[in-house]
Every structure is written in structure tokens, then in C-alpha cells.
Amino acid sequence: MARDRHPLRIPGRKTDLEIKRWIDNFSTSFCGAKWYNATIWLGSGMTTSCHHPLPHHVTINEVNENYKALHNTPHKKNERRMMQNSERPPGCEYCWKIEDIGRDNISDRVYKTVIFSEEDITHAMHADYNDDVDLQTLEIAFDRTCQFACSYCNPAFSTTWVTDLKKHGPYTDLQSDGRGHYTHEHNSAQLFKPTEVNPYVEAFFKWWEADLHKTLIELRLTGGEPLMSPHTKRLIDWFIEHKTDMVFALNSNLGVENKKIDLLIEASHNISDFQLYTSNESMGLHAEYIRDGFNWEQWTGNIQRILTEGSVNGLHVMCTINALCLESITEFFDWMMQLKKEFGRNYPVFTINILRFPSFQSPLVLPDELRMHYAEKIDNWLEENAGDHRLHEMEINHVQRLIDYLDVVKTPHSDTFDMPALHNDFKKFYTQYDQRRGKNIADTFERIGAWYSEL
Ligand code: SF4
């Protein structure tokens, strides 16, 4: 397997659109992530090919027999078959929705394919879809321990969310949230206690020691908050001890105590390619409201410290686009541009992921007038900034597709188009969120708060 860190290189085809056409020439639903990328939650034994499709379960028997089953599930193999035949796996609806907007929108299918070499992509296009495939990029979470309880997260990914439900009970009167994000503690997300042997963690380390550490070009650790997991240190120590050109990326909320940031800074000097991922999508008090536990001063201060004192090959800011963040998203883009000016165009690189679940937090629940106001504001921002060499083509495309999404897409998800139910849930959820967390949506968000008050 070729280990090529450069984007898919096809002579004469350099733009994202040209690369998309090259992929589509084989299959209009092909995506390299289905073969070479995975997110695996070891606490629950769940896997998915990227963060858009809902995760599915891997049985303990499967991983006991074959540790590669952590990624090569019958479900994914069937999706690979579909993708070789231009059929669209329904779980990848996020990408189909973006592509169906038209306007030559580039979905993540393309961005998740260009990561890999032409040789490997060509191999995946023609290989037996039942073959086990070695991962090249992997995101893993050891457990769901997290000190934050963000509004768009839920107990499956945060122990602080579990505490909220234990203390106050389920959120009530939600009509559209068929997946019950906020109605139970999601105990299936953490199948084993910290003192118990977790067969999924065992399988991961078996695979890691056998050959995973050779085939991966990037390992990304997520959570929960990975800096709170005891297994994280084992991996950090491995990277410090071994010479490798593999990227080691950590996805942290950066809301941890100073001594953990100190350790991160120190480790960054001893890991050859260390990259940091973090999340946010709005400014100051807006961010603190949306992401309960987040502290703007602490987050921005830790970023400054890490970029100044550490040795980081890239800072990635992942923006999860929910309705509320639109109120200060362009100011947040400005803040990121300022950081790029200070530290270079890769500090940060940002991605824009449009939230689909829970649907009532989607930007599409906003009334047309507000949605168009924000679309226009973002459009103006892009017009002013598109010529700035610090912006990557991918970042420009992400901002453009957000504008198009706000402009064109009418429902957050095909099975959730009952707008009155979404408005009911917007009101009911944030009312209870405010009571439980000591917050006030109407005081925090000027325009959306006024709309909320009239709902
Ligand atoms: S959702 Fe898109 S990027 Fe993710 S695996 Fe499916 S096609 Fe690829």
C-alpha cells in the first residue's frame, strides 16, 4: 500500500471540481473514506466511515475473531459494493444533500477521497468489496469522559451530559427527536467500567501493534475529551518513543487544567508530526452558551500558548454549524483570520460541518428572514475575504456551501421535515437547557433570542 501524504494527484486535474469529475467518471457515489478512513468508539464498539453517517455496532465476537472487524464490518462492505456501482448508501445522506444543491457543490466525499493516493483509490475502485482493508486515517475515542456538555452533544459522548440527566431527568416534550438524544443516559455508549477489560480497546491495541501503526498515515484521538482518558498517555508515549512519519492528532476541547496543557506542549516537541484539532463556531458568550463548560478566555489563551510554546504542525478548528452560532459566525471567521495572520495560514485551518442531528438545532429551523440575513452576512464576508491568500480553497468552498445550504436546502434531514415540531423542540429544549445550566438564550442571542421569545 502506498503511503502518500499528498492529496490525490491526477495530472491536469488540480481543482476540487476536476478531481470530483475524475472520481465520478468511475462512480458518482464513490468515497475513499469507506475504505481507508474510520471513526471508532471503543467504549461502545461502534464504527463509522466518517463523522456524517450514523455509527453502527461491531460485536465482541467479531473483534475477538478478527481485530480488523473494528473497521471492516459487513455494513461497510455492503456500502463499498454500492459505491462501486454508483449507488448511494443512505447513511451518507449528508454528502448527497450537498451535491443535490447543484451549483457544482463539492461534498465531503471528494475531500475524504483526495487524502489518499491515486494508486490506493484506483485499487479500492476495483477491489473485491468483501476484502478487509487496512486503515490509513483513523479517529478513535477510548471513552466518553468529558467535562463539557455542549448543547448539540448528548450523553453518548459526554459524561457531563450523563450527569445532567441523572440529576434532572430526561428532557421532556420533545417531538422531533426520534433518536432520543436527551431522554436517556445512553449507557450503551460506555459498555465497560474503567476497571474492566474492554475487548474493543484490546482489539485496537492488538491491531495497532501488529500492523496498524505501519499502515496509518494519521491517527486522531478524540473523545469525550481525550486528555481525560488514561489510554491517551500510552499512545503519546508510543509516539515519543518511536520514529514515525505518521501524523498524531489530538482532538481536544482545550478546556482542561493547565498541567495537561503543559504536558501537551512538552509532548508536541517530541512527536515528529503533531497536529491539534479543536472545535468552536462562534464568539465569546455565544460559544459559552452553545458549548456548556467552554470558557472563551481559557480556550483562546490555550491556543495562543500552544502555538507560541509548542511545536504543532497544524491547528484545525472544526465548526459545527447550529442555528445559534450564525449570530456571530462571521466575527468568529474574522478571529480565525487574525490568528492566521499571526501564525500562518495553517493556524488554523477550519472546516465547516453542518449539524443535522438533533434536527431542531439545525440552522434550517430559523425563519426564512433570519436564515437569509445570515446567508447574506456570510456571503458578504466571503466576498471581502476570498482573495486573502491565507484562505485555503477548501475553506472557501466550505463557506460557499454553507451559504448555498442556507439559501437552498429546506429541511434538515429527509425524515424530519415537520417544522412546527422542530420549532416546538427548539423552544422546549432551550427552555430546559437554560433552567438546568443557569443560562438565558433570550439575553445571549439578540436576533435569535427575540425569535425564540415569540415562539
Ligand atoms: S458521508 Fe460523505 S464523506 Fe462520509 S463516508 Fe459517506 S460519502 Fe464519504
Side-chain angles (χ1 to χ4, degrees):
M1 178 180 291
R3 298 189 59 200
D4 189 339
R5 185 165 300 171
H6 303 289
L8 182 61
R9 289 172 301 184
I10 306 154
R13 295 182 181 84
K14 291 198 170 50
T15 67
D16 294 344
L17 191 57
E18 286 168 338
I19 291 171
K20 177 181 185 299
R21 288 184 182 138
W22 180 84
I23 298 166
D24 285 357
N25 205 28
F26 169 73
S27 158
T28 52
S29 66
F30 182 87
C31 173
K34 206 58 81 182
W35 278 258
Y36 300 121
N37 181 69
T39 295
I40 302 172
W41 290 272
L42 298 167
S44 59
M46 304 287 272
T47 184
T48 185
S49 36
C50 80
H51 53 282
H52 300 310
L54 289 171
H56 58 278
H57 195 62
V58 190
T59 67
I60 292 176
N61 280 349
E62 282 171 317
V63 289
N64 280 346
E65 270 172 32
N66 171 19
Y67 43 71
K68 294 191 183 185
L70 279 173
H71 165 53
N72 294 284
T73 60
H75 181 93
K76 284 192 202 174
K77 287 176 178 174
N78 185 46
E79 292 185 326
R80 289 174 193 159
R81 179 193 61 75
M82 295 176 79
M83 286 187 164
Q84 286 177 333
N85 292 299
S86 286
E87 295 168 37
R88 290 176 159 191
C92 295
E93 194 195 1
Y94 181 89
C95 282
W96 318 138
K97 206 151 201 147
I98 298 286
E99 292 185 12
D100 289 345
I101 291 172
R103 303 182 181 182
D104 283 335
N105 264 286
I106 309 289
S107 73
D108 282 1
R109 182 170 75 84
V110 174
Y111 297 118
K112 299 274 183 196
T113 300
V114 298
I115 296 166
F116 310 108
S117 72
E118 182 180 353
E119 183 187 342
D120 290 338
I121 290 301
T122 308
H123 173 79
M125 285 171 169
H126 301 286
D128 184 336
Y129 57 81
N130 274 318
D131 286 351
D132 280 349
V133 179
D134 286 318
L135 281 164
Q136 296 194 36
T137 50
L138 168 63
E139 180 178 64
I140 52 161
F142 286 113
D143 54 56
R144 61 173 169 172
T145 307
C146 185
Q147 78 285 40
F148 283 16
C150 303
S151 54
Y152 50 68
C153 188
N154 67 67
F157 302 102
S158 158
T159 42
T160 306
W161 254 111
V162 176
T163 305
D164 176 327
L165 289 203
K166 272 194 201 313
K167 204 166 154 193
H168 302 287
Y171 280 63
T172 57
D173 300 325
L174 303 181
Q175 299 168 356
S176 67
D177 186 23
R179 291 186 168 83
H181 288 91
Y182 308 113
T183 55
H184 61 106
E185 292 169 26
H186 295 255
N187 290 331
S188 61
Q190 192 57 53
L191 297 174
F192 304 91
K193 297 195 178 79
T195 48
E196 292 174 332
V197 174
N198 177 335
Y200 298 106
V201 173
E202 298 279 295
F204 165 74
F205 278 112
K206 265 190 212 152
W207 190 4
W208 174 258
E209 271 147 31
D211 53 15
L212 191 57
H213 72 275
K214 295 182 205 146
T215 65
L216 283 181
I217 53 177
E218 177 169 342
L219 175 69
R220 194 196 308 182
L221 213 48
T222 185
E225 167 50 52
L227 289 174
M228 298 179 82
S229 167
H231 298 294
T232 298
K233 176 123 183 24
R234 182 169 168 188
L235 278 178
I236 290 179
D237 287 347
W238 187 95
F239 275 89
I240 291 174
E241 281 159 22
H242 292 80
K243 273 200 180 339
T244 173
D245 58 0
M246 190 196 321
V247 174
F248 179 54
L250 196 83
N251 178 7
S252 172
N253 60 37
L254 298 179
V256 293
E257 62 226 62
N258 285 342
K259 67 178 185 208
K260 286 205 162 78
I261 301 292
D262 295 342
L263 278 176
L264 201 61
I265 289 169
E266 194 188 329
S268 74
H269 289 286
N270 297 305
I271 296 173
S272 64
D273 198 343
F274 178 69
Q275 309 225 5
L276 186 64
Y277 285 71
T278 190
S279 302
N280 190 20
E281 53 281 321
S282 63
M283 293 293 285
L285 292 177
H286 291 169
E288 291 176 4
Y289 180 94
I290 295 166
R291 312 195 63 228
D292 192 20
F294 180 95
N295 178 307
W296 174 262
E297 294 301 324
Q298 181 190 39
W299 186 72
T300 52
N302 281 337
I303 286 179
Q304 280 285 341
R305 263 201 76 196
I306 290 165
L307 293 183
T308 311
E309 299 169 35
S311 173
V312 181
N313 278 355
L315 171 71
H316 306 262
V317 173
M318 298 178 293
C319 308
T320 303
I321 306 303
N322 56 92
L324 299 179
C325 79
L326 295 178
E327 206 146 308
S328 56
I329 194 166
T330 52
E331 290 80 0
F332 185 63
F333 289 159
D334 286 338
W335 179 84
M336 290 195 287
M337 293 304 288
Q338 201 49 48
L339 210 60
K340 279 173 184 279
K341 274 184 197 142
E342 200 176 336
F343 294 101
R345 74 193 294 248
N346 290 335
Y347 303 90
V349 173
F350 64 86
T351 53
I352 291 182
N353 307 295
I354 302 165
L355 178 140
R356 291 184 307 144
F357 300 109
S359 310
F360 64 84
Q361 296 187 28
S362 157
L364 302 184
V365 301
L366 295 174
D368 285 356
E369 164 202 322
L370 272 182
R371 203 158 38 82
M372 296 324 294
H373 166 77
Y374 294 126
E376 206 181 309
K377 199 171 158 206
I378 299 167
D379 199 26
N380 290 340
W381 185 90
L382 189 58
E383 213 176 301
E384 272 169 36
N385 289 276
D388 192 318
H389 71 278
R390 296 173 193 90
L391 272 182
H392 293 267
E393 181 190 4
M394 181 267 296
E395 292 171 316
I396 293 172
N397 286 341
H398 273 212
V399 177
Q400 183 60 56
R401 79 183 190 185
L402 171 61
I403 297 162
D404 293 342
Y405 193 87
L406 293 172
D407 190 19
V408 173
V409 179
K410 297 289 178 215
T411 60
H413 190 62
S414 61
D415 62 0
T416 51
F417 52 82
D418 182 355
M419 201 54 91
L422 296 175
H423 286 167
N424 168 81
D425 290 0
F426 189 93
K427 181 83 179 186
K428 293 278 166 47
F429 174 82
Y430 286 112
T431 304
Q432 294 170 73
Y433 182 77
D434 281 359
Q435 285 160 355
R436 291 164 186 233
R437 311 291 176 83
K439 296 183 186 290
N440 189 319
I441 185 173
D443 287 354
T444 311
F445 298 90
E446 192 189 340
R447 285 170 184 263
I448 299 176
W451 173 70
Y452 160 91
S453 298
E454 284 174 13
L455 271 176

